[in-house]
Amino acid sequence: GASTRSGHWTQHSAFSNALFRRLFHFTFRKNAMLAMKSKEADPPPSVLSAGIASRYGPGRCRQVAAALLDSVAGRIVPARPPLSCPLCQWIPFVPVTLPCGHTACRPCLEAVTRCPDCAAPVPLRADTNVLLKAAVAKWWAPESEAARIKVEGDLLLRSNCPERALEKYNTALKIAPDDHLLLEARADVLLRLNRCEASLNDAQALTRLRPLWPKGYYRRGMILAYLGQYEDALLSFSICVALEKNAEKVKPEFTKTLQRFLCPSSSCKSVYVSKRLPLVPWWSSNHNSPSDFPSKNVDDGIIDNFNKTAISTFHSLESRKLHLLLDRIFEEIDKTKKITNGGRSLVIRRNLVDPDDFECVLCCRTLWRPVTTPCGHTYCAMCLDRCLDYSPNCPLCMTSLSQYLGSSDKSVTDFLEVALAMTLPEEYASRLLAHRQEASILAAAPDVPVFVCTTAFPTVPCPLFVFEPRYRLMIRRAIDTGGRFAMAACVHQHNGVKKFAEYGTMLEIRDIVLLSDGCSILSNVGARRFRVSSRSECDGYDTAQVQYIVDDPIPHHYLPELTKLHDSVRSRGMKWFGAMGREMQTKILRTFGAMPALETNWAALEDGPAWAWWLLAILPLGQHLQIGILGTTCLEKRLKAIDKTLKHFEEGPHNIESVSSSAESGLKRGPSETTT
Ligand SMILES: [Zn+2]
Ligand SMILES: [Zn+2]
Ligand SMILES: [Zn+2]
Ligand SMILES: [Zn+2]
């Protein structure tokens, strides 16, 4: 294989060798086979010449190029400078913040379908980030001015006025000499004007300025290829692909250049074909007798570039060129990999930044966890949520935000957060502190938030449809602070005043489905029971201090008797459920699940056996009875109450239909259910 020879050439990395063998294999093996055959029975000359031609023909080259680029693609993961567009690595002149929270400039985003940072799809509509656009113009005034002039230059170039475009780029570069986008544009226009040397100078300066910007290498490669410096061009293209694995534009250029590199003059093709070069590859036994090979016929122009003694056939020449190229490519990639600094970072001059740049129009404070809407407006996430509880539109421009509301991913605009932390660290720290204090006041409050709606039971599912603004806020806070809230039924006092019941159940949020109108569907499961000890209010919703209640311990001597009662009530309950209509059963199973299995230690549980709560949830009991049974700490009383109800049904089976009201209202619609 190739390894036997590689020692004579140069020190190759193991990888480069392995890759070379792969490339070599499918580049030359086919031709070699053809050649072997030709020795046995001379094929028609046309086949032979096709075989030779195809060796460096477009098809073969495309394969070699594809394999080579595949092996380098994405080898370098560039650390891009902070506070820059991830695509052009420069100021986001026209910043667009995507739903994933990442920001890039509009022209850059127009060329991609996925977010360059997280690969989330780019939405059809994404307006310019208004707040950030103003900030960019203020923080980077000269760079913005240069970017504006560049746009004019680009337009001139598109309308075929390269000279005038060049003037614009020159002007802009005087304002922002570090703008690599301008250098890239100027290198391009200079090449079009056939000012090759100046063009190459710009390209070289460009890759020095931004050594981790893939497009710079693409531009340099294009210029080098144009100048006939194929090997250097191939190097540039390779680094481009190593930095940006999706650089599709580079692939055809690389292939074309590789073809020219491997076969620099068209004359060599005709020479070989006409002389009918023996097509024995260098690894065959024949390579020991170089005299068999017409090395004198090989194009002198090519061979002079290499060590003549090492090359005995055209194959070895071609393969050696490829081998050396691979070495250089991997050497260059290794060098580029070691670059940690992707060029001078964009600096925001502190004196140009003030806290107003980061102000939330809703709370008039420094933005905290800023989110940007599809219409390009930025608010604190919490401020926007509270506005949206009342109206599904953007508070500034009234654009409907139903899509934003329906998505669970409301990502922070990281550009603004990073900029704030970097430029105004004190403001950032004090805003963080303020937020933590507010959150800890809520979390440390002795009160639990109360959703006033229905009686829930321990272990039993209690789905909820949340639509009232105050409850939306309450649920968001509950999610932020452990995912629990209290559920209590709404009861009427004698004087007509509504208040919540004395007994209730804590609910644990298991899942939340956000709807595009800002409402949500919660899946909850009942946890501990409580008794209300004091009532209060917070931002429009009820709160309470509660005491958890548990069943009284069962005296040991009483256990056999209680077990008898328990077993009989349970089987009566199962019978009752079994006698129910199919349709009703399905409804119940969908909302509450199947009857829970009996726990072995049911008598020792704080809330007793779960099946009893499940049955209580589906039995059509009056509200006061439900609350009373929930509040009792005596398992015997609870079982007897269930037994009594079941017996009542056994006596009058027609009553079973009234169960439906309980099952159908499985999804509680907030408090409105109890108000009607
Ligand atoms: Zn950009
Ligand atoms: Zn993203
Ligand atoms: Zn705010
Ligand atoms: Zn808006």
Side-chain angles (χ1 to χ4, degrees), residues 85-92 104-109 181:
C85 164
L87 288 160
C88 64
Q89 302 188 5
W90 194 239
I91 58 163
C105 23
R106 178 175 302 287
C108 285
L109 281 177
L181 303 178

Side-chain angles (χ1 to χ4, degrees), residues 100 102 115 118:
C100 57
H102 297 123
C115 168
C118 70

Side-chain angles (χ1 to χ4, degrees), residues 26 43 357 543:
F26 67 71
D357 298 345
T543 62

Side-chain angles (χ1 to χ4, degrees), residues 35-114:
M36 303 283 201
K37 267 192 185 163
S38 79
K39 278 200 160 180
E40 293 153 16
D42 246 6
S46 60
V47 173
L48 197 58
S49 60
I52 302 162
S54 75
R55 192 194 308 133
Y56 36 79
R60 294 277 108 180
C61 267
R62 210 173 299 131
Q63 274 184 304
V64 178
L68 211 159
L69 290 182
D70 261 7
S71 66
V72 298
R75 286 203 148 236
I76 309 170
V77 182
R80 68 178 172 90
L83 297 183
S84 62
C85 164
L87 288 160
C88 64
Q89 302 188 5
W90 194 239
I91 58 163
F93 178 51
V94 188
V96 172
T97 300
L98 300 170
C100 57
H102 297 123
T103 303
C105 23
R106 178 175 302 287
C108 285
L109 281 177
E110 271 161 9
V112 296
T113 53
R114 294 192 165 270

